[in-house]
Each structure stands twice: as C-alpha cells, then as structure tokens.
Amino acid sequence: MPAADENPKQSITYADAGVDIDAGNALVAAIKPLARATSRPGADVDLGGFGGLFDLKRTGFRDPILVAANDGVGTKLKIAIETGRHSTIGIDLVAMCVNDLVVQGAEPLFFLDYFAVGKLDVAVAREVIAGVADGCRDAGCALIGGETAEMPGLYKGGDYDLAGFSVGAVERDEILPRADLAVGDILIGLKSSGVHSNGYSLVRKLVEHAGLNWDSPAPFAPDQTIAEALLTPTRIYVKPLLAAIRGTGGSGHKGAIKALSHITGGGLSENVPRVMPKDMAARIDLASFDVPPVFGWLAKTGNISDVELLRTFNCGIGMIAVVSKAKVDEVIAKLKSAGEQPVIMGDVIPPTGEKSEAKGKGEAWAVKYEGKLRFA
C-alpha cells in the first residue's frame, strides 16, 4: 500500500511522447484509395500488410533482370514545407527513381515511399502521398507500400523528409547501355520542365541573396510566384522512352536506343560520361537547345559560369538518348508521337585529349562542349 501522502504513478502513453498511433491509422485509411488507383498487372494493391506483394510472372517478361533504384528530392522539400505546397513533391520523388530505372531499359513495376515527420499531420501527409500516386500512375508502376515514421525530437515543426524506392524489370538481352556504342552515334535530348530536383541548396541561397520571398513574382516567370515556378515537378520520361525503345529497331532487332542518361545532380558534365565507354567522349553543341529562363536568372544572380552551370543543373535537358545515325529519324518520330520535343544535340567522338575545367586538372574531356549556352 502506498503511503497516504504519495500520489499514484501517472501513466505515460506513446501519444504523450509525441507519437499518435490513431493518426497513423487514419493516414493509412486515407491513402488506400490512392494506392489502389495505381494497380497494374502484377500488383493488386491493398495496403496494410507487413510487405507489398508483386507477381513478376504476370508482367509477361520472358527472361527478366530486376533493376532497383532509390532517391529523395533534396532541399526542394524545404520550399514545399515553407510554403505549404505539398501536392507535387511526391511526383518529384517518383521521377527521381523511375527515371533512373528506365535509363537501363527497365520498366518500373512498383514503388514504395518513406515519409518521416516530427508530428504527423494527416492532411499534409495525404497530399504528399497523393503526389506519389500521381507519379506512379504517370510511370505505370504500382504504389504497393511504404512507411510513415513519426519521430518527435528528430524533426521540428512541420518538417518532414521523403525517400522513394522502386523496382523495375528489363529483358536480359535488352539492358542499357548496350555494348555497341560507337563513334558517330547521335545524342538526342529531351527537354526538362525546369530545375527538376537537383541543385536546390544553391537555388535557395540565390533566392535569399536576391532578397526575394517565396510569394514574390518569379523574375523568370512573372505569371507565377517563385515557389510555384521552382516547385514545378520533375518530368517522368518512362512511357515515351519505353515506347521508343520497344517501337524501334525492327522485327527481331534490339531497340534503336543504345544508351540513356538521366541528367540529375552533376548536370550534363557528370551524367553523360556515366554511359560512355572509356575510349569515347561526347560532343555537345550548346547552341542546339534553348536554356529555360530560370537557369539564366540563376546564372545572372549568382554570377555562375557556364562550366559551373553545366555541372550543377540540367540546363533544360532532362534526359539524353544515344542512337545510331541510321536510326535517328525513326527514334525522333517515335518520341514525337509520344508527346516529346526531341533535339539533336551532339554525337559520340573519340577522346580529344583536351583538358576539362569541370573534371579537374589533368583529366581529359568526357564531354566536349561547342558553342555557347543559348538562354531563352
């Protein structure tokens, strides 16, 4: 028996510690219809299990190799959080993963997300995951599961973080890049929708440096606020690229696309060499494509050189395809029929022996630029 002057011990619950199990359950209920809308052959989505199931046999692949990718959206999240605009950041998350799958020729099959927050706001979380579902539908993959982690003390206020994980499949004999890349192959660029999801630490610094607020009219897009313009979601290139891969080359032949490069962090300078054999380089005509106004504003505001711009941002080209010269017209026609506006922007060349400022002292060019950036 406790002494008369002692108080019984107070019960402390998980909710008292800052974790709301009921809110988590409410979120699962709210997003089930969103996930179900992404169902595809191989996945009849029903959230709530310990793991997501996928039936690879139902996809129709004959000799598949699985390809996996994971990514986040970097500090672009800060703009969404600070402005309360959460509807498209999930599209960015999907894009950053599935675009990395398709560059190896893979069809994205399923996606999982990780949403970490200090205090779960069901409405905000649902808006974010609705964007994830939108991205999955655009990429043709199923949202089969994910994790919501409420971690008070690790994240403050309305801060949250996102990570995405995706798995795709490609036939064993159709993996990209192919071994037959050759000098004379042509580089075809697909336009970006803007900054996409890389370089936002610099972008945010330049917005602050310019003395602008997120609700200020964007100097490079006066009909939008800076936040609206910079939150334009990353383009998802999956469907047009798969159409071009599978719809070119002729019966009994591999597709006409030999390699693909997703232009993410590191820009054109760092990502194009990732698909090039060591004994080849890429020549890019900078005058062959228009650089969207946002990049001109960033360059002017930060006094950024072309070299630095090209190794930090996509500069208006979000994806590059490498195609044999004989197949260029066929691939361009297929891409146009899928809604793209492809541009011929260069070719594959032997190493030049010239030195690259972007690659460091003593290293030969992996990308040789000709002409100057053409700002729109």
Side-chain angles (χ1 to χ4, degrees):
M1 294 289 294
D5 59 348
E6 276 188 35
N7 292 323
K9 288 184 178 179
Q10 182 181 357
S11 175
I12 300 175
T13 66
Y14 209 6
D16 293 328
V19 178
D20 190 340
I21 294 174
D22 291 335
N25 291 336
L27 177 61
V28 172
I31 65 177
K32 276 187 176 182
L34 302 175
R36 199 172 294 121
T38 69
S39 294
R40 54 150 292 151
D44 297 318
V45 180
D46 188 15
L47 299 183
F50 286 96
L53 302 178
F54 191 89
D55 184 355
L56 185 58
K57 188 175 182 180
R58 286 183 55 199
T59 62
F61 283 90
R62 52 180 171 76
D63 187 18
I65 296 293
L66 295 180
V67 185
N70 71 294
D71 212 333
V73 296
T75 60
K76 188 173 186 176
L77 271 179
K78 289 292 289 181
I79 305 176
I81 292 167
E82 291 172 7
T83 62
R85 296 177 175 273
H86 309 285
S87 62
T88 59
I89 203 73
I91 299 174
D92 289 290
L93 185 67
V94 175
M96 295 303 289
C97 296
V98 298
N99 285 341
D100 279 353
L101 295 181
V102 77
V103 297
Q104 295 194 258
E107 174 187 339
L109 302 176
F110 59 84
F111 190 89
L112 300 98
D113 67 273
Y114 175 76
F115 180 87
V117 64
K119 178 67 176 175
L120 181 59
D121 182 321
V122 174
V124 169
R126 187 194 181 281
E127 191 174 5
V128 171
I129 295 169
V132 173
D134 288 342
C136 286
R137 286 195 298 274
D138 195 4
C141 64
L143 176 58
I144 66 169
E147 171 68 7
T148 301
E150 195 172 17
M151 296 187 284
L154 188 58
Y155 297 93
K156 295 182 179 179
D159 285 351
Y160 61 84
D161 199 8
L162 286 174
F165 311 84
S166 192
V167 171
V170 58
E171 298 290 3
R172 187 182 302 271
D173 59 356
E174 295 175 2
I175 296 172
L176 300 180
R178 286 171 21 193
D180 62 342
L181 262 75
V183 170
D185 285 345
I186 302 300
L187 274 58
I188 299 173
L190 302 183
K191 294 181 179 181
S192 71
S193 56
V195 183
H196 281 185
S197 297
N198 300 102
Y200 274 82
S201 294
L202 176 56
V203 170
R204 289 168 46 247
K205 186 177 183 67
L206 293 176
V207 170
E208 181 183 1
H209 177 73
L212 299 171
N213 299 314
W214 293 125
D215 59 357
S216 300
F220 49 88
D223 58 334
Q224 293 180 296
T225 66
I226 289 181
E228 288 170 338
L230 292 177
L231 286 173
T232 301
T234 306
R235 289 199 60 214
I236 293 174
Y237 297 96
V238 170
K239 289 181 179 178
L241 286 176
L242 288 179
I245 290 169
R246 294 167 175 173
T248 59
S251 177
H253 297 279
K254 295 178 182 178
I257 293 178
K258 295 184 177 184
L260 292 165
S261 177
H262 183 200
I263 310 304
T264 56
L268 291 163
S269 299
E270 302 293 335
N271 286 289
V272 176
R274 294 171 68 178
V275 299
M276 289 288 164
K278 291 184 178 180
D279 60 345
M280 296 180 199
R283 174 169 51 201
I284 293 178
D285 178 5
L286 296 178
S288 63
F289 59 95
D290 291 326
V291 181
V294 59
F295 299 107
W297 180 80
L298 292 170
K300 182 178 179 181
T301 303
N303 193 28
I304 303 172
S305 68
D306 284 1
V307 167
E308 185 68 14
L309 209 65
L310 287 161
R311 70 188 300 247
T312 305
F313 299 110
N314 65 63
C315 294
I317 298 295
M319 186 73 71
I320 291 178
V322 184
V323 181
S324 67
K325 189 177 293 187
K327 298 290 184 180
V328 167
D329 290 344
E330 183 182 359
V331 171
I332 286 179
K334 196 68 179 180
L335 289 169
K336 285 183 175 179
S337 70
E340 292 292 333
Q341 296 177 304
V343 294
I344 295 176
M345 55 185 299
D347 57 356
V348 178
I349 60 173
T352 65
E354 297 179 51
K355 306 304 177 186
S356 167
E357 293 177 47
K359 296 293 288 182
K361 274 190 174 182
E363 295 189 34
W365 281 103
V367 178
K368 177 177 174 58
Y369 295 113
E370 295 183 346
K372 291 189 174 295
L373 287 172
R374 189 174 65 189
F375 294 97

